[in-house]
Amino acid sequence: MELRLLGPLELLDHDHQPVALPGGRARTVLAVLALHEGRAVSAERLVGAAWGDAAPATARAQLQALVSSLRRALSAGGAVQQPLQTQPGGYALSTRVLRCDLWQFTEQVERGREAAGQRPAEGVRRLRAALALWRGTAFDGLPSPVLEAEASRLGEVRLGVLEECLDAELRLAPRPDLIAELRALVAAHPLREPAHRLLMLGLHRAGRHAEALTAFDDARQALVAELGVDPGPALADLRQRILTRDPALPAAEPAPPRASSAVPGPVRVALFGRDDDLAATAALVAGRRLVTLVGPPGVGKTQLALVVAARAAGPGTPDGVWTVELDNVTRPDLVPAAVAAALGVPAGPGRPLVDTLTAALADLRALLVLDNCEHVLDACARLAGLLTTRCPGLHVLATSREPLAVPGEAVRQVEPLSVPAGDAPEDLGGSAAGQMFLDRAAALAPGLEVTPDTAPHIARICRAVEGLPLALELVAAQLRLLSVAELADRIDRQPDLLARRRSTPDRHRSLHAAIDWSHRLLTDDERHVFARLSVFAGGFTSDAAAAVVSPTTAPADDAVAAVWETETVLRDLVERSLVVPAPAGGHATRYRLLEPVREFAARRLRALGEERTSRARHAAHYCARAVEVTLDGTGRTAGKTFELKQQLRQELANLRAALDWSLDGSDPEVGMTLVGAVSWLWVGLPGEGKEWVQRALARLGDAPPAARPRALLAAGLVSHSTDVADSAELLARAASLAEECGDPGTQLEALAQLSIARCLQGRCAEAVQLGEEVLAAVVLYGSEFQAARARIPAGLARCGLGDISRAAEHLARAEDVFLRYGARDDLAMTRWAQAEVAFYAGEPARAAQLSAAALHDTDTGDDLFATACRHAQHARDLYAAGEARRGVDHLRLALRHCLDEGLWMPAVDALFTAAGIAAEGTAPERAVTLLAAATALRASTGREPTPVELPRLAQLDRRLRERTTQERYRTAHEAGAAMPAEQAVRHALTAVPAQG
């Protein structure tokens, strides 16, 4: 582990990732301990440093608490041994376990001074390494008089080492960059005579005698003005020796124009989640002549490039590393001048500047960083190509929002930081975005603690800005004014939260400015397409983009040309990093706009006055996609149904956006049609589905009559999972309205589903009649595939009535058709129904095989309702077949799924199975409670037992009455009947523990 004090206090783990530290006085204590480098520090001294003269009576007790919090943080950072040790004289930090930049600085300076006499170059290298450890003022941000005094002392030490290093370097060679550094040193510290002396000496040795004498005059003027004294004897003597050209003070010959090294200084902010990027980019820079880092606005390309450049400075680049910031270069023709100015290469008279540049760099082994190239892309590409062609030892690292497109260029995409997968505290530490936010929070709001209450807010913030480092930093800056809960609440509503202090470059003052920087570089067509893309939610394919946001707006235009034109613009937007591609395996590539970018595009869309048109096209496109899936089920291409449904599931966010817009009053007909077309999806997500169908029913009168039956059908299907009586009423209305509208397909489908609802209500004779009537009509007028589907409700109704042989016959014929068509969803439903038939036929082993097959073909991530139902069914079948352990495992899965998702319809069956299992145990009262709870929950959902269920339930009730007294039975039964659904499911999980 490494403790960093030469700048803001930081603690890094073994992977160089920041470790969260407690704030306030704990940091002061840690810094004071580090100052003593392994020696014990008494409690009195620590209290004095942390509290000063205002120490309370409880300070020593509070100090122990601070030490404990520090130890926890150090342990969390992965220390093999605890670095913070208790010793007889107080507390100490172990130098064997912990590294510290302050200790390293002292050691490197000592070694540099030792080497200077015999090996001057090595001495200089060590002194430079020591100086590179500094990231700012020592102990920056720690308000303690003790540390402020130490910071002042260490600052003086640092200046002395810098002057010592510059003196040694001037003896080796009076390079132009050293003189520039000396001028900066004199400007920062105008009263330091040693700095003035070095500047004069360097200018003289570089052959610039007149400037050396002027430097003396400047020194005298500063000293007289500030202190009223003349320069000391050392400066006066040096002036005289320069004036008389003292032979003992040799001057170097004027050097030809040559680039001056400008090694990037230490990066002020730690990088998070960039280890792979750093390693990969460093490898590319070492092996390729031109590397470009590309990525969306605010993703951290500049920061990454600076760290790579700083690490590249060394043996591999003996002639230096330079960075050229191109933010303020307004014209392409000024790019060479900006590079020349940054490198210290003067323009030669009568010679093109690019020739002077290539001559200065021709023989060097060096790295050149061109930062922020996108607005002068062609000029940067030309210069980079020229330099890498003419300067064989030069490597170029560029940052841009699109590649330079130069032959031989290697492109590295910089992605946003990973965001928390969940809302728990450990999820924050497991994501780079969470780590970065917490790091910024430690500096801006030291009192912020990560708890189960605050973690969800922080995770929401990280996800809202999609892990963009710039956005994270901008939002974190608001912690001075707002709590994390307030930030999370406002992040979606107040873009001005992403504002920044004035000291940063224009493009980084706000995320809006960063995106606008790229937006201004687009053509008119690209701007229109970019704005229209904001209507997509959760990503899109190129086909969807062509249908919704094509630059070609006239309906009669050639569709092929529109697709080609859209794909061309889309490719350009990807190149400019405003659109992010997301390859989807064997499926079509998906694209998306990062959320902050999408919000910017949405504002542009409103400004263009195209929002309504674009949203209408978006809703119409996904409505057509959904209807296509429904039509696909007729049997013509049934084998593709499952694949098409899976593709449409990927568009869930777009479906929601289309429904939200259309059902809000913008286009009720599209909304009704879409709700009806994706009813199969809402059955699998009944919680969300209930909300959509209720919104659709509220707008029912606004839609054309032909669109209403499918919406009612969808509402009835979704209600299957919550309220059977409500479902039956909606399905009957759907069938009646479909008949009035002349829509026999919807009418028959509604009646088939009504048959299932009647069966669930215990009205199996009515269910059989409905099911057989639907089947007869479909066999006469429909397709083979439609008839197979109609056999499922007919078979279930027969099974509920106890007609097992007829039920099995219906389902076997349906199974044959679905197998031939490869209709996976329908086959899974058929297997589920066949398992019901086998169970009530007294064949539990066969029932278990069939329910396992149904469960296998259920996509557990997409159909929550079916998943819960089929786990419950399989648990019942396994237990009945004598596989108790596996049965209990699946039962607990079903119960947990019901509890997590609020699915109380399948919970009924799971509770009945739990009651049967509990009845085998030594506490029959638990089984009585579960049986009563299951009965009550079934009644609350509108369900009643079918004739085939009644004997089994009556037998279980008789067994329990025989095993308990009348009083105990009554008490347990009353307790179960009064249980809310959630409590009943929790009780079942306790009553049926996991098997060993």
Side-chain angles (χ1 to χ4, degrees):
M1 297 180 68
E2 181 180 359
L3 179 63
R4 303 173 74 183
L5 301 171
L6 302 179
L9 187 147
E10 290 182 342
L11 180 66
L12 304 180
D13 63 17
H14 296 294
D15 296 323
H16 301 286
Q17 295 300 310
V19 176
L21 284 170
R25 292 186 176 92
R27 292 175 170 240
T28 298
V29 169
L30 183 61
V32 172
L33 289 171
L35 271 174
H36 289 77
E37 196 171 351
R39 300 186 303 277
V41 184
S42 68
E44 289 77 10
R45 294 192 67 178
L46 292 173
V47 167
W51 278 274
D53 296 332
T58 59
R60 288 185 67 103
Q62 292 185 46
L63 175 63
Q64 292 179 354
L66 295 179
V67 170
S68 297
S69 67
L70 286 170
R71 283 175 170 160
R72 287 194 296 272
L74 290 164
S75 298
V80 179
Q81 294 178 310
Q82 176 54 246
L84 206 171
Q85 301 172 350
T86 302
Q87 294 187 0
Y91 301 99
L93 284 177
S94 171
T95 57
R96 294 192 305 274
V97 180
L98 191 68
R99 296 171 59 202
C100 177
D101 58 357
L102 176 56
W103 308 341
Q104 291 174 278
F105 173 74
T106 303
E107 180 184 1
Q108 288 281 33
V109 169
E110 290 176 355
R111 291 187 177 183
R113 287 168 176 165
E114 289 174 2
Q118 299 297 323
R119 302 180 303 279
E122 182 182 344
V124 167
R125 182 177 62 80
R126 288 193 178 278
L127 292 177
R128 280 292 183 186
L131 292 166
L133 294 169
W134 286 75
R135 297 168 292 115
T137 303
F139 314 117
D140 189 13
L142 297 181
S144 165
V146 172
L147 294 179
E148 288 171 3
E150 280 298 321
S152 178
R153 182 187 68 81
L154 286 169
E156 287 293 322
V157 171
R158 176 179 180 244
L159 282 174
V161 172
L162 177 58
E163 289 167 347
E164 188 177 343
C165 179
L166 290 168
D167 192 7
E169 288 186 280
L170 284 174
R171 290 193 184 97
L172 292 173
R175 302 193 316 269
D177 61 303
L178 295 180
I179 294 172
E181 191 172 359
L182 284 165
R183 287 194 187 279
L185 180 63
V186 165
H189 305 278
L191 304 182
R192 288 185 69 89
E193 291 194 42
H196 286 289
R197 174 187 164 276
L198 287 172
L199 176 58
M200 292 170 61
L201 194 59
L203 289 167
H204 171 72
R205 287 179 175 170
R208 296 155 67 176
H209 313 295
E211 291 180 67
L213 295 172
T214 302
F216 175 83
D217 293 338
D218 293 339
R220 180 168 55 189
Q221 183 178 353
L223 290 167
V224 169
E226 292 292 329
L227 304 178
V229 299
D230 286 323
L235 274 185
D237 179 64
L238 179 59
R239 175 185 180 277
Q240 186 63 29
R241 295 175 68 188
I242 293 172
L243 191 63
T244 59
R245 304 292 179 93
D246 185 349
L249 201 64
E253 292 296 322
R258 176 184 172 91
S260 58
S261 177
V263 181
V267 178
R268 293 171 179 258
V269 180
L271 293 183
F272 296 87
R274 293 298 190 204
D275 288 349
D276 290 345
D277 283 322
L278 285 170
T281 306
L284 285 173
V285 168
R288 304 290 287 270
R289 301 291 310 288
L290 172 61
V291 179
T292 305
L293 297 177
V294 300
V299 81
K301 301 181 292 295
T302 295
Q303 197 76 357
L304 178 61
L306 290 177
V307 174
V308 170
R311 294 185 180 182
T317 55
D319 295 310
V321 174
W322 303 274
T323 57
V324 183
E325 297 180 357
L326 299 171
D327 302 50
N328 297 319
V329 177
T330 55
R331 301 202 319 261
D333 59 303
L334 297 178
V335 168
V339 175
L343 271 60
V345 176
R351 187 182 190 190
L353 184 54
V354 290
D355 291 344
T356 305
L357 265 176
T358 54
L361 297 167
D363 300 324
L364 302 188
R365 291 173 58 200
L367 173 64
L368 173 64
V369 179
L370 299 176
D371 184 34
N372 196 42
C373 297
E374 55 272 352
H375 63 301
V376 282
L377 192 69
D378 291 341
C380 288
R382 285 193 297 272
L383 182 61
L386 191 64
L387 292 176
T388 52
T389 300
R390 296 186 183 179
C391 308
L394 181 70
H395 292 244
V396 177
L397 173 61
T399 72
S400 177
R401 293 177 191 174
E402 58 181 302
L404 302 188
V406 173
E409 175 188 29
V411 178
R412 174 76 183 178
Q413 182 77 35
V414 183
E415 302 288 349
L417 302 180
S418 61
V419 298
D423 291 342
E426 55 268 24
D427 292 319
L428 300 183
S431 75
Q435 293 170 21
M436 179 176 175
F437 187 88
L438 293 176
D439 175 79
R440 301 300 181 267
L444 297 164
L448 176 65
E449 294 183 2
V450 180
T451 67
D453 292 329
T454 60
H457 299 308
I458 298 172
R460 179 182 171 188
I461 291 168
C462 294
R463 289 193 287 264
V465 300
E466 300 232 26
L468 285 173
L470 175 60
L472 285 166
E473 196 160 341
L474 296 173
V475 176
Q478 304 301 318
L479 286 172
R480 298 187 184 94
L481 305 173
L482 301 171
S483 69
V484 288
E486 290 171 317
L487 273 179
D489 182 57
R490 300 183 189 187
I491 188 68
D492 296 326
R493 299 183 287 108
Q494 293 183 319
D496 58 327
L497 286 175
L498 303 180
R500 195 174 194 156
R501 56 189 180 274
R502 291 185 294 274
S503 61
T504 54
D506 287 345
R507 75 184 194 279
H508 285 167
R509 288 184 185 172
S510 73
L511 193 58
H512 180 281
I515 300 168
D516 189 52
W517 176 271
S518 291
H519 182 261
R520 290 198 302 267
L521 305 177
L522 302 180
T523 65
D524 286 344
D525 271 353
E526 290 168 344
R527 289 177 184 176
H528 280 268
V529 170
F530 171 67
R532 294 167 188 164
L533 288 174
S534 66
V535 300
F536 287 105
F540 53 90
T541 63
S542 59
D543 288 345
V548 176
V549 305
S550 169
T552 305
T553 55
D557 283 334
D558 181 23
V560 175
V563 170
W564 179 85
E565 189 177 2
T566 303
E567 289 183 346
T568 300
V569 175
L570 188 61
R571 184 168 58 249
D572 291 340
L573 292 173
V574 170
E575 288 289 314
R576 287 164 169 77
S577 299
L578 288 170
V579 173
V580 180
H587 300 293
T589 298
R590 293 184 66 78
Y591 303 88
R592 70 188 185 103
L593 278 66
L594 298 179
E595 187 56 27
V597 178
R598 194 194 67 77
E599 290 172 0
F600 178 93
R603 290 194 291 272
R604 296 302 308 158
L605 186 67
R606 288 191 289 273
L608 291 170
E610 295 185 2
E611 183 176 21
R612 180 174 180 81
T613 301
S614 296
R615 289 200 175 279
R617 295 177 71 177
H618 174 269
H621 171 73
Y622 285 103
C623 184
R625 286 279 309 276
V627 169
E628 178 189 9
V629 172
T630 303
L631 295 176
D632 185 58
T634 60
R636 292 189 300 272
T637 55
K640 291 182 60 180
T641 301
F642 182 80
E643 179 184 351
L644 290 173
K645 284 184 175 181
Q646 290 299 91
Q647 291 176 10
L648 199 59
R649 282 189 174 106
Q650 290 185 347
E651 306 295 351
L652 185 56
N654 281 309
L655 295 173
R656 289 166 176 153
L659 282 169
D660 193 51
W661 179 80
S662 56
L663 292 177
D664 200 32
S666 297
D667 196 335
E669 181 177 2
V670 168
M672 296 293 166
T673 305
L674 187 52
V675 165
V678 293
S679 57
W680 54 271
L681 183 61
W682 303 135
V683 169
L685 301 169
E688 180 179 353
K690 189 75 172 177
E691 296 179 13
W692 288 121
V693 297
Q694 286 176 346
R695 284 184 63 178
L697 294 179
R699 311 290 307 192
L700 200 63
D702 298 331
R708 298 173 190 173
R710 297 295 303 182
L712 285 166
L713 174 60
L717 289 172
V718 172
S719 293
H720 260 332
S721 62
T722 54
D723 188 329
V724 176
D726 186 46
S727 173
E729 180 183 349
L730 288 166
L731 292 169
R733 285 178 62 194
S736 175
L737 192 56
E739 184 178 17
E740 292 176 15
C741 296
D743 184 357
T746 300
Q747 180 190 5
L748 291 174
E749 188 175 350
L751 290 173
Q753 295 300 325
L754 180 59
S755 170
I756 295 176
R758 295 299 187 215
C759 194
L760 290 172
Q761 289 178 302
R763 297 159 60 174
C764 291
E766 186 178 346
V768 167
Q769 181 180 353
L770 277 170
E772 296 292 350
E773 288 176 358
V774 170
L775 178 59
V778 174
V779 167
L780 189 61
Y781 300 109
S783 67
E784 178 188 37
F785 190 86
Q786 290 172 317
R789 278 187 166 174
R791 291 188 185 280
I792 297 176
L796 285 171
R798 288 286 181 184
C799 177
L801 198 60
D803 189 349
I804 300 300
S805 60
R806 290 288 300 278
E809 178 185 350
H810 276 313
L811 296 174
R813 295 179 68 176
E815 176 190 21
D816 178 63
V817 174
F818 296 144
L819 282 171
R820 283 190 282 111
Y821 281 104
R824 179 175 165 179
D825 279 349
D826 295 288
L827 191 58
M829 182 65 181
T830 305
R831 301 288 195 209
W832 175 82
Q834 287 176 317
E836 290 295 294
V837 172
F839 180 82
Y840 289 108
E843 302 175 7
R846 173 169 164 73
Q849 291 177 344
L850 289 164
S851 58
L855 187 58
H856 176 268
D857 281 341
T858 301
D859 193 324
T860 57
D862 295 321
D863 195 330
L864 303 178
F865 182 70
T867 298
C869 287
R870 291 170 192 178
H871 273 299
Q873 181 195 51
H874 194 44
R876 177 202 66 185
D877 297 343
L878 284 171
Y879 197 82
E883 297 189 50
R885 185 187 63 78
R886 292 179 58 210
V888 168
D889 287 347
H890 278 278
L891 178 62
R892 290 181 64 82
L893 280 173
L895 290 167
R896 178 57 60 188
H897 205 70
C898 291
L899 188 63
D900 291 344
E901 304 297 339
L903 300 171
W904 307 132
M905 188 71 78
V908 172
D909 299 309
L911 288 172
F912 277 125
T913 299
I917 294 174
E920 304 290 337
T922 58
E925 290 84 358
R926 281 188 172 183
V928 173
T929 299
L930 288 170
L931 183 61
T935 302
L937 182 57
R938 181 177 61 190
S940 71
T941 60
R943 286 181 59 179
E944 293 293 336
T946 61
V948 78
E949 289 180 278
L950 285 171
R952 177 169 167 266
L953 295 175
Q955 183 184 15
L956 176 59
D957 184 64
R958 283 196 302 272
R959 286 175 55 205
L960 292 173
R961 288 178 183 275
E962 291 169 0
R963 296 190 59 197
T964 58
T965 65
Q966 185 174 356
E967 181 62 23
R968 287 182 175 178
Y969 181 94
R970 183 181 62 78
T971 302
H973 190 278
E974 288 177 354
M979 278 186 179
E982 181 176 343
Q983 183 183 352
V985 174
R986 292 188 186 279
H987 182 70
L989 285 167
T990 303
V992 186
Q995 302 293 298

